[in-house]
Amino acid sequence: MSAISDAKVLEALKAVKDPAKGEDIVSLGMISGLIIKDGNVGFAIEVDPRQGAAMEPLRKAAEKAVHDLAGVTSVTAVLTAERAPQASAGSSQAPAGGKQPATGPGGTMIPGIRSIVAVASGKGGVGKSTVTTNLALGFAQLGLKVGVLDADIYGPSQPRMLGISGRPTSPDGKTLNPMENYGLKCMSMGFLVAEDTPMIWRGPMVQSALQQMLRDVDWGELDILVVDMPPGTGDAQLTMSQQVPLTGAVIVSTPQDIALLDARKGLNMFRKVDVPVLGIIENMSVFVCPNCGHESHIFSHGGARREAERLGMEFLGELPLDIEIRETSDSGRPVVVSRPDAPNAQAFVAIARRLWEKVSAQIGADSPRQAPKIVMQ
Ligand code: ADP
């Protein structure tokens, strides 16, 4: 029985040297957030943000060193740039003009991406990922260039819902090519980590993973990047919404959550970080009987619309609770592509159309395609 311990992992990591400094990464104090759970090991390697991509071989070497230990079933190492670069670490290399990327809420816009919309929910299981996938396909049906960023890194669903498997490639060793299906580009932690690997990540690791999926991916030109947020309205979600230059957010809710005010928590979260809430979508609104087509309002109907009005949010529409929506999205053939003319598909497309109206008004996209504005906040 060889239970894996912190000490054993650190001992193994001592064999890995930072080539620039010639010392091992443990002695240099670069390892943080070590977590071990049933043979699954996670940790962060803190690096100078200027070194970024150059540290990828080091990250891989660290993963391998730990993976070789008896009793380890999986290893996830992420690079973080949490600390301010140390004064001694190459301050002479700072660009002469002192040009630094803008930081602050949302960070810099990403060249080539015209708008970014977050899909959020007060809690899990309300259909946020299903709505993200079908809305993204709805945008594509409108002729837009669309990407999906699966930021739900604790439980990524987009690979399954979009029917994509395999791993992204990186021809230049710096940026990843997104995966593609049904005309959408997609990046998800689900492509990078085995599906059965439990995700037990500390805040900084989550943030660096999100930044890498957003900024180190060759998205090309996109009209809209749809972000599947992790469920909930806690600190983690708040920090994530601050890190992405969001054009706006939509909140997905079920009729019963409206009653529990989960949607209101979402609204407040985005208000805190000055992200406009574009509206609320009621999912699983009405139950359509698969046998006779009869519609039953299992939960009180009309509550979401009233609540949205009361809170000053637009009610973007309602989606039925229908087995077709579940079966198609869970099997990687979302209804918007598998039966585009079906009423279920058209309900998503109608919401996508209204959302794009709002987003394009916000970014002034009716004018001919122009270079993206760099927003310094
Ligand atoms: P979340 O992202 O909020 O956790 P998911 O999108 O993963 O939720 O949905 C949870 C489950 O509910 C999935 O099996 C999904 O297929 C199903 N589902 C979502 N929306 C609907 C709907 N409108 N009708 C039927 N099933 C749905």
Side-chain angles (χ1 to χ4, degrees), residues 342-356:
N344 282 332
Q346 287 305 310
F348 284 107
V349 177
I351 296 176
R353 187 173 292 119
R354 174 62 192 139
L355 260 177
W356 180 246

Side-chain angles (χ1 to χ4, degrees), residues 4 9-10 13 25 30-46 56 58-69 71-80 153-154 156 167 188-202 204-210 212-213:
I4 195 80
V9 170
L10 292 173
L13 287 172
I25 56 178
M30 293 164 75
I31 303 299
S32 67
L34 175 58
I35 296 169
I36 302 172
K37 176 108 196 294
D38 305 332
N40 302 292
V41 182
F43 55 90
I45 308 172
E46 303 200 18
E56 179 57 19
L58 183 115
R59 190 191 67 77
K60 284 218 179 86
E63 275 192 350
K64 179 164 186 327
V66 177
H67 206 270
D68 288 346
L69 289 172
V72 171
T73 46
S74 79
V75 187
T76 308
V78 288
L79 298 176
T80 68
I153 60 179
Y154 297 97
R167 281 176 181 265
S188 166
M189 215 55 201
F191 299 133
L192 306 174
V193 183
E195 207 170 319
D196 51 4
T197 307
M199 305 272 180
I200 318 154
W201 293 17
R202 271 167 73 248
M205 299 163 77
V206 170
Q207 288 155 32
S208 81
L210 178 67
Q212 288 176 26
M213 287 199 296

Side-chain angles (χ1 to χ4, degrees), residues 121 123-131 152 157 160-161 228 283-284 319-323 325-327 329-330:
S121 66
K123 63 170 195 186
V126 301
K128 169 186 54 60
S129 300
T130 309
V131 172
D152 190 351
S157 316
R160 178 171 44 90
M161 295 204 167
D228 188 356
N283 189 32
M284 310 191 192
L319 299 161
L321 172 60
D322 192 316
I323 195 158
I325 296 182
R326 190 185 68 70
E327 283 178 351
S329 28
D330 290 356

Side-chain angles (χ1 to χ4, degrees), residues 165-181:
S165 56
R167 281 176 181 265
T169 54
S170 175
D172 63 358
K174 289 188 193 124
T175 49
L176 285 177
N177 282 340
M179 304 294 276
E180 289 194 44
N181 200 13

Side-chain angles (χ1 to χ4, degrees), residues 10-273:
L10 292 173
E11 194 54 46
L13 287 172
K14 276 196 177 169
V16 182
K17 286 204 168 76
D18 179 343
K21 299 190 183 122
E23 266 186 82
D24 76 84
I25 56 178
V26 179
S27 308
L28 287 166
M30 293 164 75
I31 303 299
S32 67
L34 175 58
I35 296 169
I36 302 172
K37 176 108 196 294
D38 305 332
N40 302 292
V41 182
F43 55 90
I45 308 172
E46 303 200 18
V47 298
D48 184 324
R50 285 170 298 201
Q51 290 178 298
M55 301 304 267
E56 179 57 19
L58 183 115
R59 190 191 67 77
K60 284 218 179 86
E63 275 192 350
K64 179 164 186 327
V66 177
H67 206 270
D68 288 346
L69 289 172
V72 171
T73 46
S74 79
V75 187
T76 308
V78 288
L79 298 176
T80 68
E82 277 296 292
R83 289 182 193 161
Q86 281 139 17
S88 62
S91 51
S92 56
Q93 298 161 13
K99 243 198 209 165
Q100 294 284 341
T103 51
T108 42
M109 278 302 289
I110 294 142
I113 304 184
R114 301 167 88 195
S115 65
I116 307 183
V117 170
V119 181
S121 66
K123 63 170 195 186
V126 301
K128 169 186 54 60
S129 300
T130 309
V131 172
T132 304
T133 313
N134 282 289
L135 274 185
L137 292 164
F139 289 128
Q141 217 181 78
L142 301 177
L144 300 170
K145 290 190 182 132
V146 187
V148 176
L149 171 60
D150 189 356
D152 190 351
I153 60 179
Y154 297 97
S157 316
Q158 293 304 327
R160 178 171 44 90
M161 295 204 167
L162 283 169
I164 308 177
S165 56
R167 281 176 181 265
T169 54
S170 175
D172 63 358
K174 289 188 193 124
T175 49
L176 285 177
N177 282 340
M179 304 294 276
E180 289 194 44
N181 200 13
Y182 305 128
L184 301 185
K185 292 183 176 166
C186 177
M187 185 46 66
S188 166
M189 215 55 201
F191 299 133
L192 306 174
V193 183
E195 207 170 319
D196 51 4
T197 307
M199 305 272 180
I200 318 154
W201 293 17
R202 271 167 73 248
M205 299 163 77
V206 170
Q207 288 155 32
S208 81
L210 178 67
Q211 286 301 329
Q212 288 176 26
M213 287 199 296
L214 184 66
R215 295 177 191 276
D216 298 345
V217 168
D218 189 3
W219 291 105
E221 296 267 315
L222 291 183
D223 293 306
I224 185 163
L225 179 67
V226 190
V227 184
D228 188 356
M229 293 286 289
T233 49
D235 286 346
Q237 291 81 356
L238 188 74
T239 313
M240 288 175 81
S241 3
Q242 267 173 317
Q243 284 199 322
V244 180
L246 292 171
T247 315
V250 292
I251 296 169
V252 178
S253 192
T254 58
Q256 60 272 42
D257 296 317
I258 309 261
L260 293 171
L261 295 182
D262 278 346
R264 180 181 295 185
K265 281 194 229 149
L267 176 72
N268 288 340
M269 174 175 90
F270 288 112
R271 284 203 176 138
K272 266 191 212 158
V273 290

